[in-house]
Amino acid sequence: MKELPVLKTKNLVLCAAPADEVDIDTINEDNAIWYYPWYITIKNQSSTLIGIFRFNGPPVRGTVLLRVKEDRDYISSDIAEEALKAICDWAFAQKDVYKIRVHRIPDDRRYHELLEKCGFGPGPEPSRAEKRKTPTSWTLIYMLIGLSVGMTTGISLGSFVLGTILGGCGGIVLGILFDLSERKHRSQITGEKDDE
């Protein structure tokens, strides 16, 4: 069995743990983490459980469903926001995850405010909120790298301006190609033409 992740934030520890109701024999071991509960505790107070997150399984068409069970005393606090942002960051770092959906709790203003603070907006149906992964933006980074390489090359070859222009243009082209590739992959996974 793979080692289960532990997320540590400024104030919290989030750890995934096998649950009795998860039958590991019936699911793929690589996907097991998507079924385990994530226990949220305050750092240095491991006995103080303030909430549990749980995904409803691995991504389907780039989307995971997250169930949130927070202690009512913490739901409108910075602690709850810190926990929700941490689990979202973890999920978006996983392969082929582009959207996270959560159930909205009807008439729970504090919970809705928490979701908004964490970047969730309206979902595909009124009972769900959704957060989308920000598309990559490599163009500027590669342009800056290209300019640096171009300037260095230009200086060594005696043509600073030409090296800078060629390096900058090459960086822009590389960045655009990486961004287009990521958008194409996202579109193939989610089935959506424009996923921004």
Side-chain angles (χ1 to χ4, degrees):
M1 178 181 213
K2 289 183 177 179
E3 187 175 327
L4 296 174
V6 174
L7 306 177
K8 293 182 180 182
T9 67
K10 179 181 174 189
N11 300 300
L12 304 171
V13 176
L14 291 80
C15 35
D20 293 339
E21 67 269 19
V22 177
D23 184 3
I24 193 70
D25 296 330
T26 62
I27 58 177
N28 180 334
E29 185 179 331
D30 293 335
N31 291 330
I33 189 64
W34 294 105
Y35 295 96
Y36 292 158
W38 288 74
Y39 296 100
I40 309 160
T41 57
I42 297 176
K43 268 188 184 170
N44 304 322
Q45 298 177 24
S46 60
S47 61
T48 307
L49 180 67
I50 64 163
I52 300 172
F53 291 137
R54 184 182 223 136
F55 294 98
N56 274 16
V60 175
R61 295 180 62 101
T63 303
V64 292
L65 181 61
L66 176 65
R67 291 185 283 167
V68 178
K69 184 179 178 188
E70 296 261 8
D71 184 308
R72 304 311 302 160
D73 293 335
Y74 291 95
I75 197 73
S76 62
S77 72
D78 291 340
I79 296 283
E81 183 179 348
E82 187 176 326
L84 186 54
K85 284 181 177 178
I87 198 70
C88 289
D89 288 346
W90 177 85
F92 283 139
Q94 307 311 302
K95 185 178 187 320
D96 296 337
V97 176
Y98 297 103
K99 292 183 217 166
I100 300 170
R101 289 188 181 142
V102 296
H103 288 289
R104 289 182 184 265
I105 300 171
D107 303 323
D108 190 335
R109 181 187 51 78
R110 293 186 313 159
Y111 182 63
H112 291 201
E113 287 172 359
L114 171 65
L115 293 177
E116 283 179 24
K117 278 191 198 171
C118 292
F120 283 85
E125 50 203 63
S127 65
R128 294 197 179 159
E130 181 175 275
K131 180 174 181 160
R132 292 174 178 241
K133 182 178 183 178
T134 305
T136 61
S137 184
W138 291 104
T139 305
L140 179 62
I141 294 167
Y142 276 95
M143 180 190 75
L144 293 173
I145 292 170
L147 285 172
S148 299
V149 170
M151 284 190 269
T152 305
T153 305
I155 290 171
S156 67
L157 296 177
S159 181
F160 176 78
V161 175
L162 182 61
T164 303
I165 291 170
L166 291 176
C169 291
I172 290 171
V173 169
L174 272 176
I176 289 171
L177 290 175
F178 278 121
D179 289 340
L180 288 174
S181 173
E182 191 274 339
R183 282 175 174 77
K184 181 180 177 186
H185 179 74
R186 178 187 289 233
S187 179
Q188 289 171 340
I189 297 296
T190 63
E192 296 176 359
K193 293 281 185 216
D194 183 25
D195 195 31
E196 292 187 38

